Amino acid sequence: MNKQLLQELSGSVRVYKSIDTTCDINEAVNYPTEFLNTLEPPGVHSHILKLKIGAPIMLLRNLHPPSLCIGTRLCIKKLMPNIIEATIMTGHAAGVNVFIPRIPIIPSNFPFQFKRI
């Protein structure tokens, strides 16, 4: 559904790739970066994230409650290398422009810990 919506929007696609690392440096030998890139745990975006200006997005982490919390819907305004400028679409802060940085996420449902930024 997301891919189809992205195709409907005009403009070029910006591709973001995650930075995946093990939390324990000693585990890096057992879980190389290439393997970590293939993992898609629930609640965590995939290794490759494709976005366009005007696309709706939803936060997966609390950044600045109550305006920027899990489930907040935003509309992308500008795509930069390490930050996204977006407008909040719902709630009491609707219409406010915000900046969303790269966010580290550590999934908890794996036999080992890794971090995806």
Side-chain angles (χ1 to χ4, degrees):
M1 179 85 155
N2 288 335
K3 290 178 185 177
Q4 185 178 2
L5 176 63
L6 215 54
Q7 288 177 346
E8 298 291 324
L9 293 171
S10 62
S12 60
V13 173
R14 176 93 187 227
V15 177
Y16 291 91
K17 292 185 179 180
S18 68
I19 301 167
D20 299 331
T21 56
T22 56
C23 292
D24 180 0
I25 192 76
N26 297 322
E27 292 290 335
V29 174
N30 299 327
Y31 305 105
T33 303
E34 295 79 13
F35 169 72
L36 298 176
N37 291 346
T38 66
L39 300 177
E40 294 193 15
V44 178
H45 64 81
S46 61
H47 169 61
I48 295 177
L49 181 63
K50 297 178 181 181
L51 298 171
K52 279 187 182 181
I53 293 173
I57 58 174
M58 184 174 13
L59 282 183
L60 300 176
R61 295 293 295 252
N62 288 327
L63 292 181
H64 192 271
S67 57
L68 290 176
C69 52
I70 296 172
T72 300
R73 293 184 188 136
L74 304 106
C75 182
I76 297 174
K77 201 172 173 191
K78 187 174 183 183
L79 296 168
M80 296 170 266
N82 293 309
I83 202 161
I84 296 169
E85 184 178 354
T87 304
I88 299 174
M89 295 184 346
T90 59
H92 73 280
V96 175
N97 290 332
V98 294
F99 294 97
I100 309 296
R102 285 185 172 255
I103 303 168
I105 297 175
I106 301 174
S108 59
N109 52 349
F110 272 83
F112 62 94
Q113 285 194 320
F114 79 99
K115 177 170 61 172
R116 176 164 286 169
I117 299 176

